[in-house]
Amino acid sequence: MSTDSLHVVCPHCHTTNRVARDALSQAPDCGKCHRPLFSGLPVALDEAGFERHVARSQLPVLVDFWAPWCGPCRAMAPQFEAAARELEPGMRLVKVNTEEAQALGARLQIRSIPTLALFVGGREIARQAGALGAADIVRWARSHQSA
Ligand code: ZN
């Protein structure tokens, strides 16, 4: 049954894979590039990659909008990585460099960074501006995921 599997977008080649829910936690590989679908690390995406993941992933996508010149963003990076280890494979964590993806940042009206945004089914359901620690990122994401 279709409800027993999910579309998971590969973080390496961006192919959409169909993965059984039961197999999510068993380190599934991509059917195309054969690399792990979950590495425990946030995936750096450009605008096209972001659109693909948000539109096709049936996992919630948690996005860290950041920029290299932003001190609080750099400080939050290891916290976001720790959150990825905790939240995968139930959620996909990605990073978007707003200096490179300026059109995307403008379209989504990202007014300050870092900004976290959670997308479910292609739709933004929650947003949080300002840096958080790993435990707070996990708590925030889970509280909105189940909402
Ligand atoms: Zn792949």
Side-chain angles (χ1 to χ4, degrees):
M1 275 172 42
S2 60
T3 53
D4 291 327
S5 63
L6 289 170
H7 287 162
V8 177
V9 182
C10 174
H12 311 288
C13 70
H14 307 305
T15 295
T16 303
N17 286 255
R18 181 175 281 278
V19 180
R21 271 179 206 279
D22 296 347
L24 271 184
S25 58
Q26 295 161 17
D29 286 337
C30 174
K32 185 168 186 193
C33 72
H34 307 293
R35 293 164 77 184
L37 287 176
F38 299 99
S39 57
L41 282 172
V43 185
L45 295 177
D46 60 11
E47 181 159 358
F50 167 87
E51 297 293 356
R52 202 169 171 107
H53 277 258
V54 163
R56 299 188 183 178
S57 174
Q58 289 182 322
L59 295 172
V61 180
L62 177 60
V63 189
D64 171 15
F65 292 97
W66 72 289
W69 49 262
C70 158
C73 298
R74 292 197 305 273
M76 191 173 82
Q79 303 297 319
F80 196 65
E81 289 180 11
R85 287 193 290 275
E86 185 122 350
L87 290 167
E88 283 192 358
M91 204 176 282
R92 172 67 77 201
L93 274 66
V94 310
K95 292 174 73 80
V96 172
N97 180 341
T98 54
E99 204 163 65
E100 291 172 356
Q102 286 186 5
L104 178 63
R107 182 160 56 79
L108 295 177
Q109 300 183 305
I110 305 297
R111 302 194 189 286
S112 67
I113 48 174
T115 285
L116 293 173
L118 185 64
F119 292 81
V120 176
R123 202 168 60 87
E124 181 178 338
I125 60 165
R127 181 180 290 200
Q128 143 82 33
L132 294 177
D136 286 328
I137 295 170
V138 169
R139 201 174 303 126
W140 180 81
R142 286 196 174 135
S143 72
H144 291 287
Q145 177 187 14
S146 55

